[in-house]
Amino acid sequence: MTDFRDLHVPGKPLILVNAWDAASARVVEAAGAAAVATTSAGVAWSLGAPDGDALDASAAVAAVARITAVVSVPVTADIEKGYGDVAETVRRVHAAGAVGVNLEDGATAEPDRIAAARAAAPELFLNARIDTFLAGVGGLDETVERATAYLAAGADGIFVPGVTDPPTVAALVDRIDAPVNVMAGPGAPGLAELAALGVARISLGSSVAQAAYGLVARVAAAALGDGGYGELAGAADYGTLNALLTPGASGRG
């Protein structure tokens, strides 16, 4: 298996199309992904919980285990704030087969949480998520200060969702001495433009799961409304999906 750390190359970023269950992970892998990342929101929604550290740790770990069991590429897990005991969760996620984790902060910096995760699993790629821009609680300087503290606490990479403005992204890359991860989607600069800014990792986050559930909503509205089936056009092929998840299929772990 490719070393996950080696996939973080400034200017040639790791593209992560975030999955939320075994089937979505296999579809992403089959499309040629070098690694699979989970989306905590998508995982939570698929298991009947809201996003925001509401999911039970055991359920979150089990979801990671189901994904690592069916893919051969590295898997990194979004574990929100750690679902309670961050050290215990990180150990369990690592044992479930993940080679990396995302760990988020919030309104204030939390280097102790990063340090606890680092001590629990030294081998994992620890991506520290900084919510300054996403939550509107700080700007560039605050973000860099948190990044510096998290790197000192043992983080390997820095994830700053909520910002895709090219000058700001370029400043983050210039001022943070680690691989920088941004979250992209509709309205963001293209992947090539973000790569040219020196980003080392680009995530699509919960937007993929949101798009999938949006399709369900449109199909339901049509079927329960005018009785149309048009929204089902472009669906994944039944046989292809079945083959991807058949034991012994290429790509399965």
Side-chain angles (χ1 to χ4, degrees), residues 100-114:
V101 294
N102 269 17
L103 194 60
E104 65 193 56
D105 56 14
T108 59
E110 298 183 355
D112 289 349
R113 191 182 299 273
I114 300 299

Side-chain angles (χ1 to χ4, degrees), residues 144-218:
V144 172
E145 287 177 11
R146 291 195 194 188
T148 301
Y150 295 163
L151 292 172
D156 296 294
I158 299 296
F159 181 25
V160 188
V163 57
T164 54
D165 171 65
T168 305
V169 172
L172 289 169
V173 169
D174 181 62
R175 296 177 61 183
I176 295 174
D177 188 22
V180 173
N181 178 188
V182 298
M183 186 163 63
L191 298 179
E193 183 177 353
L194 291 171
L197 296 172
V199 170
R201 175 166 162 170
I202 300 172
S203 307
L204 300 189
S206 65
S207 62
V208 186
Q210 288 174 255
Y213 291 126
L215 173 60
V216 174
R218 294 192 299 275

Side-chain angles (χ1 to χ4, degrees), residues 5-36:
R5 283 176 170 79
D6 292 342
L7 297 175
H8 296 75
V9 181
K12 189 180 178 182
L14 171 63
I15 309 300
L16 294 172
V17 180
N18 300 72
W20 58 95
D21 62 8
S24 60
R26 276 294 286 128
V27 169
V28 168
E29 180 186 33
V36 168

Side-chain angles (χ1 to χ4, degrees), residues 16 41 64 86 110 123-125 135 141 148 159 194 198 213 221 252:
L16 294 172
V64 173
V86 62
E110 298 183 355
E123 305 89 349
L124 284 180
F125 186 98
D141 288 342
T148 301
F159 181 25
L194 291 171
Y213 291 126
R252 285 183 61 111

Side-chain angles (χ1 to χ4, degrees), residues 47-123:
L47 296 175
D51 190 27
D53 249 359
L55 191 63
D56 175 75
S58 293
V61 171
V64 173
R66 286 191 292 271
I67 289 172
T68 61
V70 300
V71 301
S72 296
V73 296
V75 174
T76 180
D78 183 344
I79 59 170
E80 303 190 50
K81 284 180 175 289
Y83 304 115
D85 185 335
V86 62
E88 177 63 17
T89 298
V90 167
R91 280 191 289 267
R92 293 175 66 187
V93 167
H94 187 209
V99 299
V101 294
N102 269 17
L103 194 60
E104 65 193 56
D105 56 14
T108 59
E110 298 183 355
D112 289 349
R113 191 182 299 273
I114 300 299
R118 176 80 293 151
E123 305 89 349

